[in-house]
Amino acid sequence: MDSNIKKCLIIGAGQLGSRHLQGLVKYQEQLEIFVLDTSSDSLKIAQEREEEINHKHILTYTQSWDSLPEFFDLVIIATSANARELIINELLKRSKVGFLVLEKVLFQDLEAYERVGVLLNKYDTITYVNHPRRMSRSYNNLKETIQFSESRVYNVVGGNWGLGCNALHFLDLLVYISGKKIKEINVDAIDDYLIESPRKGFVEFTGTLTGFLEDKSIFTITSFKGNVNPITVSMFSSEERFFVQEGGSPQIHKLDANNSFKLNISDFNIQYQSELTANIAKELFENNVCSLPLFEEARHTHELFITAMLEKYNKIAGLQTKVLPIT
């Protein structure tokens, strides 16, 4: 086998892991790809999805850590959050990793962030967090288009879209678009009940997160109770207003003072994970950097979110746990 072929590993072959696999096999240069999962059924589904795509890569599906090599150029961990710290420990104990990509939610308890941060530094592993809206051509263009520099108002609104599971994607999007860190997250407007997640053993929330960025920009992120309906992201200043309709009929609506606030409509380009993972590999292998946020950057937002939501969870559930059961 050609020693120059990049070695990749996907840990977790479930819904998201199999989409990462579909994306990775679209990478143009030949790769040696390992897929690790304890479930034979998940591996089977992942293989079926991989075989839908014509490619030239070398694939190995396994349930055993012992069958893995001692070095990987790229590893993607797409397991549930409750297993992620243990998996990172096992991985780095066994294999040297060039680049590591972690799914969100990173970890369910705050102490894990410090422990894993120390571990990643110990093994000198360059680690990114998969907040893929940073790779969206439409959001990249929007970031370049925005002219206003004063504080802004951001709103994210949709119906029953998984606030616990997905709010971090939109918090990261605000960090990316604004170039500012999240300063505070408030959960007072989160509904006072828990929803059973489609993923067994996890919970979900509805209601509204509020907060502000370090430049005093205000945000609200809302998941209405009831039927699932498309997410709209809006951004306002005194001079510009943007409305991004992500689902349904994806579009960007822009109104700005330079055009007398006349409505300008453009298409919003949706890119799924099965399209993006090859781009992650391409950026890392060719440039040694990636559009995704590094672990330490994402960690700040994740820790604020976990702290706020854990307080709400304990209040609703009548508990005093340190673990927030979301993924």
Side-chain angles (χ1 to χ4, degrees):
M1 186 181 296
D2 187 345
S3 60
N4 293 320
I5 293 178
K6 302 287 188 184
K7 286 184 170 63
C8 302
L9 169 63
I10 296 174
I11 303 177
Q15 180 68 17
L16 190 50
S18 63
R19 298 307 181 192
H20 274 295
L21 179 59
Q22 282 187 315
L24 195 57
V25 296
K26 294 175 184 175
Y27 185 68
Q28 291 187 346
E29 302 296 325
Q30 188 180 45
L31 302 171
E32 185 178 6
I33 302 171
F34 293 79
V35 183
L36 173 67
D37 199 297
T38 55
S39 168
S40 59
D41 289 339
S42 293
L43 290 174
K44 181 180 178 181
I45 292 171
Q47 185 170 4
E48 289 172 353
R49 289 179 174 173
E50 167 252 310
E51 290 174 348
E52 293 173 4
I53 300 167
N54 185 32
H55 65 83
K56 57 186 176 182
H57 306 293
I58 304 163
L59 271 293
T60 300
Y61 294 88
T62 181
Q63 294 176 267
S64 171
W65 285 97
D66 293 335
S67 62
L68 300 178
E70 296 180 354
F71 173 78
F72 289 102
D73 297 277
L74 171 62
V75 177
I76 298 169
I77 298 180
T79 63
S80 298
N82 57 338
R84 191 162 292 120
E85 182 184 5
L86 290 173
I87 288 169
I88 293 171
N89 272 280
E90 188 69 21
L91 170 69
L92 297 182
K93 182 174 69 177
R94 290 172 172 269
S95 301
K96 173 68 176 174
V97 177
F99 296 107
L100 179 61
V101 174
L102 304 177
E103 274 298 335
K104 59 78 210 154
V105 174
L106 281 169
F107 314 107
Q108 297 177 326
D109 68 287
L110 290 172
E111 294 174 358
Y113 289 86
E114 178 62 26
R115 291 192 299 265
V116 173
V118 170
L119 189 68
L120 297 175
N121 286 331
K122 174 184 176 181
Y123 287 98
D124 194 26
T125 304
I126 301 171
T127 304
Y128 292 90
V129 179
N130 189 38
H131 288 303
R133 281 173 177 79
R134 292 194 182 213
M135 302 185 72
S136 162
R137 289 190 293 270
S138 290
Y139 278 124
N140 289 338
N141 292 338
L142 183 60
K143 179 179 172 65
E144 294 175 4
T145 299
I146 289 176
Q147 299 298 317
F148 49 82
S149 58
E150 75 273 23
S151 62
R152 316 161 196 173
V153 176
Y154 300 92
N155 295 314
V156 178
V157 177
N160 196 19
W161 50 266
L163 191 67
C165 177
N166 293 306
L168 276 162
H169 282 314
F170 294 101
L171 291 169
D172 182 76
L173 177 64
L174 302 189
V175 171
Y176 171 65
I177 292 288
S178 68
K180 306 296 181 182
K181 289 183 178 181
I182 304 289
K183 183 73 172 178
E184 182 178 303
I185 297 174
N186 183 286
V187 295
D188 289 346
I190 295 291
D191 295 330
D192 291 320
Y193 50 80
L194 299 172
I195 298 172
E196 186 176 344
S197 170
R199 297 178 177 90
K200 187 176 180 180
F202 301 99
V203 300
E204 263 305 342
F205 301 83
T206 55
T208 300
L209 288 174
T210 63
F212 59 91
L213 309 183
E214 59 186 354
D215 67 349
K216 296 188 169 39
S217 292
I218 297 170
F219 65 82
T220 67
I221 301 177
T222 299
S223 176
F224 288 116
K225 179 184 178 181
N227 295 329
V228 177
N229 56 60
I231 291 171
T232 300
V233 179
S234 56
M235 308 174 193
F236 305 91
S237 77
S238 61
E239 300 296 314
E240 293 180 298
R241 291 88 194 261
F242 295 88
F243 301 85
V244 182
Q245 178 76 13
E246 288 198 354
S249 178
Q251 293 178 328
I252 299 177
H253 293 196
K254 176 184 178 182
L255 304 93
D256 67 275
N258 290 334
N259 291 304
S260 302
F261 289 97
K262 292 179 180 178
L263 179 61
N264 177 274
I265 300 176
S266 58
D267 291 335
F268 178 80
N269 180 264
I270 296 176
Q271 292 173 278
Y272 297 104
Q273 195 62 61
S274 57
E275 301 173 73
L276 292 173
T277 306
N279 292 337
I280 295 173
K282 179 179 174 65
E283 288 184 351
L284 291 175
F285 295 158
E286 295 183 3
N287 304 318
N288 292 315
V289 293
C290 179
S291 301
L292 300 175
L294 285 161
F295 174 82
E296 285 301 327
E297 180 183 359
R299 172 180 172 178
H300 171 80
T301 304
H302 279 241
E303 287 179 330
L304 282 177
F305 178 76
I306 294 295
T307 299
M309 295 297 285
L310 183 59
E311 180 181 353
K312 185 70 174 184
Y313 172 73
N314 279 331
K315 182 178 179 181
I316 296 171
L319 300 172
Q320 291 185 327
T321 181
K322 294 183 178 181
V323 177
L324 178 65
I326 60 174
T327 190

